[in-house]
Amino acid sequence: MKISVNLLRELIDFEWSAERLVENLTMSGSEVEAVEQKGNDIQGILAAKVIEVAKIEGSDKLTCCTVFDGREKIDVVCGAPNVAHDQVVLFAPVDSRIPGSTLEKAKIAGKESAGMILSEAELQLSENAGEIAVLPDDIKPGTPLEKIVDYKDTILQLEITPNRPDCLSHIGIAREVQALGGGKLKMPDVKLAESDIPASGAVKIVIDNPRGCPRYTGRVIRNVKIGPSPLWLKMMVYYLDMRPINNVVDITNYVMLELGHPLHAFDFDLFKKPEVVVRNASDGEKFITLDEVERTLNSNHLLITDSVSGVAVAGIMGGELSEVSEKTSNILLESAYFDPVIIRRGSKALGLATESSRRFERGADPEMAPFANNRACKLISEIAGGENLSGVVDAYPAPLVPVEIDFKPENINSLLGTKLSANAMCDILKGLDIDTRNGDSYKAIQPSFRPDLTREVDLSEEIARIHGFENIPPVFRPGGALGAEETKLQRLTRDIESYLTGAGGTEVFSLTLVDSNLTRRLGLLESSVTVMNPLSEELAAVRPSLLLSMLPVLRRNINFKERDLFLYELGDIYLPSDQEELPLQQIRLAIGLSGYEAPVFWGEKQRKIDFFTIKGLVENLADYLKLGTINLRPEPHFAFDKSRSFVVYINDNNIGYLGSLSEECLKIADIKEEVLFAEFDMQKIESLVPDSLAAKEVDRFPSADRDIAIVIDENIGAEEIRSEIINSSVGFADDVRIFDLYHGKNIPESKKSLAFSIKYRLPDRTLTDEEVDDVHGKIADVLKMKFGAELRS
Amino acid sequence: MSEILTFLKTIEEEARSAIEKADDKTALDNVAYSYLGRKGKLAEVSRGFGKLDPGIRPRVGSRLNELKKTLNELITQKAGALTSVLESKDVFDYTLPGKRSPVGRRHPLMQTADRMVQIFRGMGFSVATGPDIDTEFINFDALNTPEDHPARDLSDTFYIKKGILLRPHTSTVQVRTMMAQKPPVRIISPGRCYRSDAPDASHSPVFYQCEGLYVDERVTFGDLKGAIIQFARDMFGPGIKVRFRPHFFPFTEPSAEYDFSCMICGGNGCRVCKNSGWLEISGAGMVDPEVFRAVGYDPGKVTGYAFGMGVDRITMLRYRIGDIRLLYENDVRFLRQF
Ligand SMILES: [Zn+2]
């Protein structure tokens, strides 16, 4: 909503500077988003009379005009088609300023030109650039522009919240200024000259749907002269972001901006009968609105008719066939009140929002209807001439009853944390033109322009904002236990994040909406939750696995030549559910690796990540979280290479999966690097994390360390042998590690060489060399027997 | 000590000195070959293993293994030193980069969310979560949102199907918490939210919010101001100012928008705050009695405040990030800064 400070000052006298006004409005809820100064760059413009217009040879557009500026005659070149002898025009002499330039003497088409005859657009008073501005004859040449029109103005752009339809007008903002102590509101003058002929004889108003149209007022004006508006009116309408059209239409718009009440002027001669019937449209009924679009209405639309055919879609837009034009002489002026819901639905169904519908759908003021009608008719008869038939024809079958709101000042104080007296509260409400009564209890009477006020709590907001939010003292409560402890999952999440970050992982936070094409190509779309109305295919599925959001992140980084990646994400995934109303939501942990491990050191060779990198990472994580030992079981997975696809178990608990992305998956995701990926169910991990830990003492006796290297069949798993070493060590071996794996030279085909280092140790004494040698030898024998191992030296 | 062990000791000493003396790659290769190669000195000893006294065999075996390992290590080390062109033989170049282990980073949004949680937890708030996909009842009806409110439109909100949608705010968690638990309630609810906004510098269709709620007897608007002011000071420093402006939300009355004084220019006006000295943060207000009715609380007995807060917004202000998309692109070059 745009507010002209000049127009505002006509409705209330306030002493505040523009800055103070801006601050006060913003801090009371009408946020000023922008302030625009009008007319600051205009100087020295005055009225002048055109004395002579002469054609310029060789030009069909330009003329040489002699104008009289009150003191002297000046020759100027003019290009406007409408320039004519005897006109009073706006003239910019040499050295005067118009927006964007300072006038200088010029030579145009060989003629001296000492100034310029101006169009309204050149002064930014309207958008009319095609012709020069022509002033009324009674303006004397030499009259400065500021005496002709008050063009210096400050225009405020306000953000009006949807609960405040009253503030979509200057009167509403003036009332805010009044409440804030700026002055006293003055309603504009509506005393108008009327003829003896009663309007009630000229038009009959019938409301078929009084719920949709509780009130309809009409006035009839005869013999108006349609033409351009006077400069002040054009300018005001233009300053407030509407297009000047003609005097009558501009007046209806002006009154709407002033009083907030939408009006509509009909060419009454185009009515087939002198009647207004407000009825619901029928489904599929066609109607051409004045923007020349044929609209299809439905039975929820309210239609204004002349009892024969439609003349306007109520509250939204008038019809083309009854539009006011240059030929119009008799006018029916509508000022009605329509139900907000009907207008909102109607406007939505048509996809048509207008200044009028915006106001009706938020809630106009039913009591304002006749006042606004009188106000507009007064201006029409003054500006466009014509004769007002006497009286407002007012159909108001069931006047709306204002709500009486009971309130207790102590309730309001205890909600706000204030100590305002009841009187102070009533004074605030009075400033907002809300009457209060004080009998057994306090009552506030809802004004007709405030549909948002129905409850005590609504009054508390009015009191708070006018008192000033800044005047409510902040309270700093002590913290304290209201169940503020962390959950196990929250703690676990933190542990995982700090572990993975410490291990070199970069945390990713990605969109949960993922590409439906990618999801489909990975075969997951059927089992995914999808968005009914997505922005695009790239955001059409809700991720069923963190892989779906990790893949694009990997691709993006790899494409930017960041190939060495260790990424992780803790986040939710979603799966459709048959039993539940809502999809299943689970927290998961994903890890993605590609490229090389760690940064390169000088003098060292970088290691490419491989399956064992991610396995080791997961083993470490499990160790860190004290989950127990990880074991992998081969199992196919849609995204993994067949030979590198595993489910991760802790004992018999499946906690997730891990593997190497298959070539096909990488192709689908358009990734040109090997990727290792793991995803875990956080709830499962949570259930496996011990709630408490009892510390063990450390061993006090030194260990004896021995290595053993064997050659065995390459199909025998390393872990199998490692377990066997532990099993056959009679409890002596407490740490067995693999330190070498070798294929190739000196090793027969289909065999491998494995080397283990074994720590022999007992908790209660030192082992003797003999004991160690003995058990080490025995282990070698067992490996020979069980696995056909051959000792290497 | 047996002869053979003494012999091994001699071999070790010889080898060590040979490695030490090798001053190029070829010399080192020759040393490696003569001690560790198939016909090298150690292999020779191994071949004689069978002829040894069985009692001494294990000790010789392990000594042999140990020696192999030691020599291998020494040779690798020396090779590293020889191949490294960066390191000259005699000059200690301390300007060479240190050997750094990899460092990971937490996502800036998560760092900020953690900080926020920490601050609010200190004020006695606990962290509550709820589903991203929720019913229209929880999202709108229970929050006093009119049936034809534009937020319910397909153009504003993502639907999964009729009546089920991706939450546009985490107020859903507040509703669920109140429905499950009697007052007092003091929670914050960080989580993803969704709105049908085409991505641009200040919009993301998925974003990260953290809303707060405190319901008890005698909770006032003054308490709301106190909580937000305390948060602002903790997050951005004691000099930060907070202002509340009246606003409108269907689920709060009175409703406010709150601003922080611009931490970039100190409130003097700059490009970021559009010269106003203030940065709009989010909305807040006193919980509307209709919301209490919807969740089964008695509005005559309790009052409460609720506030919204964009984790993305706070993150962007905290790190002066100009484009929200940077937070969701997960470009490691960006993430490495935090
Ligand atoms: Zn600033």
Side-chain angles (χ1 to χ4, degrees), chain B residues 45-322:
Chain B
V45 177
S46 301
R47 275 195 291 276
F49 197 73
K51 292 173 203 145
L52 290 173
D53 173 0
I56 203 170
R57 273 185 212 166
R59 285 183 67 189
V60 173
S62 80
R63 179 74 184 98
L64 210 49
N65 277 337
E66 212 174 278
L67 187 53
K68 267 189 209 165
K69 216 165 134 188
T70 314
L71 294 186
N72 257 319
E73 272 165 21
L74 285 170
I75 288 168
T76 317
Q77 241 173 50
K78 180 75 179 188
L82 285 176
T83 45
S84 165
V85 279
L86 289 167
E87 198 180 35
S88 103
K89 204 171 154 198
D90 300 307
V91 182
F92 173 67
D93 182 1
Y94 68 92
T95 66
L96 283 167
K99 299 192 172 181
R100 298 163 61 163
S101 23
V103 183
R105 307 289 165 152
R106 300 239 19 234
H107 195 283
L109 265 179
M110 296 293 98
Q111 291 192 33
T112 306
D114 278 4
R115 179 88 188 100
M116 290 167 72
V117 165
Q118 200 181 19
I119 293 169
F120 282 115
R121 193 165 267 147
M123 293 190 228
F125 285 82
S126 52
V127 176
T129 53
D132 291 21
I133 300 169
D134 216 326
T135 63
E136 199 169 344
F137 174 81
I138 298 276
N139 270 287
F140 295 124
D141 299 335
L143 289 162
N144 194 33
T145 313
E147 212 155 286
D148 45 10
H149 194 278
R152 296 190 192 230
D153 287 357
L154 285 171
S155 58
D156 278 41
T157 295
F158 293 123
Y159 282 79
I160 300 302
K161 59 182 183 198
K162 197 174 160 18
I164 307 286
L165 54 102
L166 285 154
R167 63 179 179 199
H169 44 219
T170 62
S171 311
T172 51
V173 179
Q174 307 183 350
V175 172
R176 285 181 170 277
T177 306
M178 287 192 281
M179 282 166 70
Q181 174 187 336
K182 287 203 181 82
V185 167
R186 185 153 59 185
I187 54 162
I188 51 166
S189 49
R192 283 183 172 84
C193 299
Y194 304 79
R195 266 174 219 174
S196 190
D197 289 327
D200 65 20
S202 44
H203 296 92
S204 170
V206 184
F207 54 101
Y208 203 63
Q209 285 275 102
C210 178
E211 295 181 21
L213 172 76
Y214 179 25
V215 180
D216 203 343
E217 286 169 17
R218 303 190 163 276
V219 175
T220 71
F221 193 87
D223 290 317
L224 166 64
K225 284 184 71 175
I228 300 287
I229 291 170
Q230 194 173 333
F231 169 81
R233 288 176 185 165
D234 250 2
M235 190 80 202
F236 292 107
I240 214 83
K241 289 192 192 66
V242 181
R243 72 172 190 185
F244 289 76
R245 290 177 284 105
H247 203 73
F248 170 74
F249 304 106
F251 32 84
T252 47
E253 188 81 16
S255 301
E257 272 187 340
Y258 62 93
D259 307 334
F260 291 171
S261 58
C262 180
M263 54 286 297
I264 289 145
C265 62
N268 295 321
C270 68
R271 199 180 50 82
V272 177
C273 61
K274 296 186 192 102
N275 284 316
S276 71
W278 294 99
L279 295 162
E280 195 174 310
I281 303 297
S282 189
M286 302 306 291
V287 179
D288 195 286
E290 291 307 316
V291 175
F292 285 144
R293 273 187 205 106
V295 299
Y297 282 11
D298 179 354
K301 289 211 173 111
V302 292
T303 53
Y305 64 71
F307 59 84
M309 206 174 269
V311 179
D312 1 40
R313 174 90 174 129
I314 301 285
T315 306
M316 289 168 78
L317 293 175
R318 194 179 183 206
Y319 301 115
R320 304 185 187 179
I321 298 166

Side-chain angles (χ1 to χ4, degrees), chain A residues 774-793:
Chain A
D774 187 43
V775 76
H776 196 67
K778 247 173 64 193
I779 286 170
D781 292 342
V782 171
L783 297 184
K784 268 186 218 161
M785 253 165 49
K786 277 212 165 170
F787 303 108
E790 204 181 298
L791 281 196
R792 289 190 84 205
S793 46

Side-chain angles (χ1 to χ4, degrees), chain A residues 62-128:
Chain A
L62 298 178
T63 52
C64 184
C65 304
T66 307
V67 300
F68 176 65
D69 73 353
R71 287 184 302 148
E72 55 181 338
K73 291 180 186 170
I74 302 162
D75 288 342
V76 292
V77 175
C78 180
N82 66 324
V83 67
H85 187 247
D86 264 359
Q87 280 171 338
V88 180
V89 295
L90 286 172
F91 178 66
V94 170
D95 292 336
S96 69
R97 279 175 54 208
I98 61 172
S101 62
T102 300
L103 270 287
E104 286 169 22
K105 272 200 177 131
K107 206 163 191 177
I108 302 164
K111 301 272 179 190
E112 292 282 343
S113 182
M116 190 173 170
I117 303 177
L118 298 166
S119 70
E120 286 160 5
E122 274 153 345
L123 290 171
Q124 294 175 358
L125 302 178
S126 88
E127 59 188 1
N128 188 355

Side-chain angles (χ1 to χ4, degrees), chain A residues 221-230 233 246-249 251 328-329 331 376-387:
Chain A
I221 317 153
R222 285 192 178 150
N223 302 319
V224 297
K225 198 170 167 342
I226 306 292
S229 294
L233 177 57
N246 60 43
N247 46 14
V248 169
V249 173
I251 287 167
T328 303
S329 79
I331 283 174
C377 286
K378 174 187 163 67
L379 293 173
I380 289 173
S381 55
E382 284 171 7
I383 290 166
E387 171 193 19

Side-chain angles (χ1 to χ4, degrees), chain A residues 469 512 532-533 562 574, chain B residues 132 148 154 159 194 225 336:
Chain A
F469 282 1
T512 33
M532 205 171 87
N533 54 330
E562 289 290 338
Y574 310 82
Chain B
D132 291 21
D148 45 10
L154 285 171
Y159 282 79
Y194 304 79
K225 284 184 71 175
R336 245 178 241 140

